[in-house]
Amino acid sequence: MDLNEKKENDEAVSRNFIEQIIEKDLSEGSYDTICTRFPPEPNGYLHIGHAKSILLNYGLAQKYHGKFNMRFDDTNPTKEDTEFVESIKADVKWLGADWEDRLFFASNYFDQMYEGAIKLIKKGKAYVCDLTPDEIREYRGTLTEPGKESPYRNRSIEENLELFDNMKNGMYEDGAKVLRAKIDMASPNINMRDPIIYRVAHMTHHNAGDKWCIYPMYDFAHPIEDAIEGVTHSICTLEFEDHRPLYDWVVRELEYEKPPKQIEFAKLYLTNVVTGKRYIKKLVQDGIVDGWDDPRLVSIAALRRRGFTPESIKMFVDLCGVSKANSSVDYAMLEYCIREDLKLKKPRMMAVLDPIKLVIDNWPEDQVEYLDVANNLENEELGYRKVPFCKELYIDREDFMEEPPKKYFRLFPGNEVRLMHAYFVKCESYIKDETGKVTEVHCTYDPATKCGSGFSERKVKGTIHWVPAPYAVKAEIRLYENIIDEEKGVYNEDGSLNLNPDSLKILKDCYVEPSFDNAQAYDSYQFVRQGFFCVDAKDSKPDALVFNRIVSLKSSFRLP
Ligand code: ATP
Ligand code: MG
């Protein structure tokens, strides 16, 4: 089944469960129009899992003609970093998710959150508690036993208002007092056992400065952020499922009109691939990778640098689907998507990764013939280019063998092959250096065998690619493998990562066609027989090209 058939097939299948919820809400008038959001915490770079969340939220807003908000969840004063804010904005934009003029920071809502807390206190739904963190944990109970009520639970509204005011005015040390929602210490859901909603923390906030020394907890802040922005469907990952009753409690008690609703879906995991920020941060800090955008990582910046496109990532998350059950997807599926995306869009060029010189003995010394070469035989729109053909060429070392095994159809003494887009050549002799390494292959060509001339008496079984030696452009090519040693699994017993020592292979003496002259950062190409390659945005220079291999051509992957 090819991709188009698969798409048609999928459209015939029922819509995903989130779309079903939205359609029901719209048809019943629960909401007139929808609004979704992407709420990253600015504490690291985004990865492929976040891409799923971004494209899901943005895609739903588009599909139902609603809005998509971008909101930094920066209520926690410890972690924010402007480097991360900027990288996240760039990544979301690159993926094509457009927040228009709706870029928000949760820390701008601290006033409303504070007012929300006051409202709860006034309703008798929140109280200041003096138990220590250890005591709070102890009183909370377990999954099998109910919790115990705090002795401070029944303070009067006036006393609570005064104590909370004191908290805000910096009269207590960190941890001395907290504000708790007054819900139910016997609830089977531990999240509902009088959760903490505000804590004292004498810290400077990157945006709010020193205005506050009390900060809201995530479970209290998040529903308020959604409600303030008019978000209707607050989509998050499965680990928040048990927090949903608290989310609903907050928006109900604060009496929002048309309150938002939380919907959970399963995180995207890639088998044997590191996605957790914590691990990536460590790889960066330990200098094992070249920053957050090292092409071996699956951060969005890394995928972009490696040569993945927004289209390929969208295709990938679409193929993964949306589900309530955790599962893990093979990296090969991501590779499949980039091959599908690039195969008709990109020119097919010749590049020699491990060069060996080929000399055509019967070609006149200074003669150059400019061959017309189609950029992509499957896509005429990409046009033609001229490739000079001359006496000295480079071919790939693996395309010549002194003593070939059976079924080796490339060059060996006495054998004839086609030089791609050019002529048949027959190997007459070869030269070795003192170490026994072959340094030159000598051939003769047959003028009657020009490719595309419509005339060919003989057939040959092998076609090999080449570049013209005097015109070729030298390049560095980087080949990547998984940074994890897949044989051993992702983690060692001590929790460290099982690294693959061969995850990066650098080939310094490669040659590409002269038409690469003006290759720009992020340009990508197919190198015939080798794979798809992309100009490295960090290290490539006009006079010293560096290419990343995005993906090889072959795969055993089949659409699920
Ligand atoms: P990580 O644990 O990988 O560092 P995170 O969940 O801490 O990620 P946030 O910045 O809190 O990162 O996440 C922003 C949004 O992205 C949240 O809505 C979260 O649910 C979603 N998200 C995070 N990881 C994934 C994933 N693997 N698949 C789908 N969505 C994800
Ligand atoms: Mg998080």
Side-chain angles (χ1 to χ4, degrees), residues 64-347:
Y64 296 102
H65 308 290
K67 287 179 176 160
F68 165 79
N69 293 359
M70 173 77 195
R71 180 206 310 150
F72 284 98
D73 207 335
D74 62 349
T75 53
N76 185 341
T78 53
K79 292 185 190 152
E80 286 73 23
D81 188 322
T82 47
E83 177 194 349
F84 297 137
V85 170
E86 290 313 311
S87 78
I88 290 171
K89 279 180 2 195
D91 289 347
V92 175
K93 269 197 188 138
W94 179 74
L95 282 172
D98 183 3
W99 60 78
E100 297 171 353
D101 58 352
R102 292 178 304 281
L103 171 65
F104 302 120
F105 288 83
S107 58
N108 286 337
Y109 309 143
F110 280 150
D111 284 327
Q112 286 108 307
M113 291 170 191
Y114 175 75
E115 282 157 23
I118 299 281
K119 178 164 183 157
L120 290 182
I121 295 174
K122 286 186 175 162
K123 288 175 79 172
K125 299 281 179 160
Y127 61 96
V128 173
C129 182
D130 302 359
L131 291 179
T132 64
D134 283 342
E135 287 168 333
I136 289 180
R137 210 167 304 124
E138 206 184 295
Y139 275 62
R140 193 177 290 140
T142 64
L143 284 175
T144 49
E145 281 168 56
K148 226 167 44 177
E149 293 189 353
S150 160
Y152 306 101
R153 196 174 200 259
N154 294 315
R155 278 177 162 152
S156 69
I157 290 172
E158 290 65 36
E159 190 183 0
N160 279 319
L161 284 173
E162 190 187 328
L163 293 174
F164 189 53
D165 198 46
N166 292 345
M167 278 171 69
K168 175 180 165 247
N169 292 331
M171 291 175 60
Y172 309 120
E173 305 271 287
D174 291 6
K177 282 187 170 45
V178 290
L179 184 71
R180 300 176 68 174
K182 193 172 182 177
I183 310 180
D184 178 6
M185 288 307 292
S187 169
N189 183 338
I190 292 187
N191 295 305
M192 299 298 274
R193 295 182 189 167
D194 293 8
I196 299 173
I197 58 177
Y198 256 96
R199 65 191 168 115
V200 177
H202 292 270
M203 288 169 111
T204 304
H205 187 275
H206 78 107
N207 178 26
D210 291 320
K211 178 171 176 194
W212 300 92
C213 61
I214 52 170
Y215 290 96
M217 304 300 286
Y218 180 88
D219 282 340
F220 177 64
H222 205 84
I224 297 178
E225 296 159 24
D226 286 337
I228 289 172
E229 290 176 15
V231 166
T232 54
H233 298 84
S234 176
I235 298 166
C236 63
T237 43
L238 279 186
E239 69 272 24
F240 291 101
E241 197 165 19
D242 290 343
H243 298 241
R244 191 184 342 128
L246 179 53
Y247 185 102
D248 291 341
W249 185 90
V250 172
V251 293
R252 192 172 59 243
E253 293 301 338
L254 293 180
E255 298 165 43
Y256 288 109
E257 254 177 71
K258 306 238 174 196
K261 62 164 74 167
Q262 177 181 304
I263 304 171
E264 311 85 18
F265 73 102
K267 273 194 174 180
L268 171 65
Y269 292 102
L270 284 172
T271 312
N272 286 332
V273 173
V274 196
T275 47
K277 269 175 215 161
R278 205 154 52 87
Y279 289 98
I280 295 184
K281 207 172 230 165
K282 186 146 172 31
L283 289 172
V284 174
Q285 280 164 354
D286 294 352
I288 290 165
V289 295
D290 164 30
W292 286 88
D293 60 354
D294 185 292
R296 288 167 290 179
L297 300 174
V298 291
S299 60
I300 295 174
L303 291 168
R304 175 168 62 232
R305 182 171 166 202
R306 174 110 169 224
F308 282 83
T309 56
E311 292 80 5
S312 65
I313 293 174
K314 177 155 193 332
M315 191 190 302
F316 174 70
V317 302
D318 285 349
L319 281 174
C320 289
V322 184
S323 137
K324 274 265 187 197
N326 277 319
S327 64
S328 175
V329 183
D330 212 346
Y331 185 81
M333 189 152 117
L334 189 55
E335 296 187 320
Y336 165 84
C337 294
I338 187 66
R339 276 192 210 99
E340 282 293 307
D341 185 40
L342 298 183
K343 73 180 180 195
L344 297 184
K345 286 186 193 164
K346 299 297 169 180

